[in-house]
Amino acid sequence: MNTTILAFAQLPETVDPAPQRLLDHYQAMTRIRAFEIAAEEQFRAGHILGMTHSAVGQEAVAVGVCANLRRDDLITSTHRNHHHALAKGVDPAAAMAELLGRATGVCGGKGGSMHIADFTVGMLGANGVVGASAAIAAGAVQGLRLLGSDAIAAAFFGDGGINRGQCLEALNYAAVYRLPVLFVCEDNGWSATTRASTVTAGPGVSSRAEAFGIPAVSVNGNNVEDVDNAARELVQQIRDGGGPRLLHCRTYRLRGHTVTDTAQYRDTSEVERHEKTDPIRSCAMRLAQLGFSKQEVTAACEEEENAIEDAVARALAAPWPCRTDAFRDIQDAGAPVQP
Amino acid sequence: MITVVEAGRRALQSEMRKNPAIWVLGEDIRHGGVFGQYKGLVEEFGPERIVDTPIAEATMVGAAVGAALVGTRPVIETRFSDFALSAMDELINQAAKNRYMFGGQGRVPIVVRMPSGLRKNSNSAAQHSQSLEAWFVHIPGLVVTAPATPADAKGLLLAALRGDDPVVHMESKELWETTGEIGEDDDAVPLGVGRVARTGSDVTVVSWSSTVHEALRAAELLQGAGISAEVIDLRTLWPWDKDLVLESAGRTRRLVIAHESVRDGGFGAEIAATAAEELHETLTDPVRRVATPRIPLGYSVPLENEYRITAPRIAAAAASLVGEASGPETFASAQPVALVHRETQQ
């Protein structure tokens, strides 16, 4: 296979997505933003336990990629996953209830923020172990191929994951078996408190994929149209039997690593600079250019914010898991006995 | 009479014929596997179901988790249990926890085959010889099997392939050539059910895998000394047949646990603690464990001999419970049948 890093400029001319598609993207991104803001509020109120990792500012990556996936296509994700889950179709109310640890949560309160999963919409699971889910996605489509399905998978990981051996092994594995996986490296520049570039050797994410013979594209991850266009092209190549692809999305982590991390290790001027490239704001400006009225855009945003408010209220009123739930769904042979 | 390795091969072959969702991944599988476990399978089932992988144990198990979640039944050949250590996140954080963490949405029906332990005349040293079953029985979500005979090599593999749990299938390298009858049926051995390998009345010896054979030889030696030993082969380590062990030790009132792997923190400790909890008024003597000292396996013959759990050692422990003051040398005149202990020139 002739492998080159495809710069975005070299992709074939794409027609602008239909304006309605962009409005759909905007709506999906505002849904995610409202969810993440609500999660932050619920965390500060003490209703979300443990830790949660905000995807504020990274919505375009999730929405642009997932817009090109079928319901039966799969995604896997990482600890920062709410945007991927919602973009794939996980019900925000079930996701919020999961964050609040309620029995009505999408995992029955047993997974929490880092372990969102909903197999009915192809969300094969978020993972608390960095880089671990790439191999799971690769094996999943290898299994699906054995079963006669042509579904594909998108494996989301970050700029930290691309340094992990397991992730690099998964790239090699997918390339060897020509597995239909879109590896999405969501590069937000920061691995917890460490600037990713200081611990990442070599020319960068895309060249690592190239080293395995996997064509790669690098895009502005804060422009949902760029992400959508690139993902559409790569997904089509994958569906056509071209083997795996990698999409490197350059974005920025506007919040701390977790909700409690105030990110003192970063310059506020750096953060302010990136706030100006907020993907939702730039999408709204683009919608205005395309002729949508301010009312239409605001109405779309409000619809999503109301839905999230409702999801939070329902989650807060939902019951907790009961004791027996702690002892269920572990294993068939050798299941524990509840004391 | 067929060998352990052939019993497993036939069980896998027959089950793969019945269930197209079963597939195998690992290194050198198409060549037949290091010990011949997969001979002839790629010719019959093709390269999509008999998959040679790169040397990437973590990805073998990780990919298998994904493939299992979507409905296939992967068998991972880890080649040596020591190499499976590269896949610990995938086995313990992913395979074992997926069903629970996601609220019961998925199942991970993988079988992780781990060739384990010492192998005669192999002198494979510290990184090719470990028995780490204690690690895996400790993990909620996992089933752990350890056949000692061809019949159980077949029956437990069938049980593993048919269940929906992730199974760690520990296969003693010492036992590959051990022969036995396996029967024409394709019946699985029920998980969690042990086997009384020899009935007795004075002392219970619990063991699994290759050490079962040493325990049986120990029972022969003990008989010569007038001691009747009951030998139990656990077969499954998690879940283990507590009722069988407690009934036997409750009757003989003496318990010895013998296993090849480090004594400290070994699975024998779990059995001993359980016996102490349940039989503390019944046992007449403390529970004894005969297991490896806390040393890595050295390469040279005299170093490896320190590691081996032999029939004389087991017999001496059992005899000491019955009140005979004796060490292994009391029973050392017996020659082990299958093991070859090469003498070093002093």
Side-chain angles (χ1 to χ4, degrees), chain A residues 23-92:
Chain A
L23 184 65
D24 291 343
H25 290 346
Y26 178 80
Q27 200 149 355
M29 290 195 290
T30 53
R31 177 182 314 136
I32 293 167
R33 180 67 59 93
F35 184 96
E36 294 293 71
I37 302 284
E40 288 173 354
E41 287 166 359
Q42 291 307 312
F43 189 94
R44 294 200 178 99
H47 297 142
I48 293 181
L49 309 170
M51 58 190 115
T52 192
H53 305 79
S54 176
V56 162
Q58 301 177 210
E59 298 86 352
V61 177
V63 170
V65 169
C66 290
N68 294 287
L69 300 177
R70 305 187 316 224
R71 187 186 173 102
D72 67 325
D73 290 328
L74 304 174
I75 65 166
T76 58
S77 180
T78 182
H79 52 282
R80 197 179 312 278
N81 65 79
H82 308 159
H83 51 327
H84 307 137
L86 263 53
K88 190 61 176 66
V90 176
D91 171 30

Side-chain angles (χ1 to χ4, degrees), chain B residues 225-244:
Chain B
I227 297 171
S228 163
E230 179 150 294
V231 177
I232 290 177
D233 171 7
L234 281 184
R235 306 200 291 184
T236 312
L237 302 183
W238 193 272
W240 62 284
D241 197 341
K242 237 172 269 191
D243 290 344
L244 186 69

Side-chain angles (χ1 to χ4, degrees), chain A residues 1-14:
Chain A
M1 187 197 309
N2 193 17
T3 63
T4 53
I5 300 174
L6 305 174
F8 175 58
Q10 292 169 254
L11 285 176
E13 277 289 319
T14 48

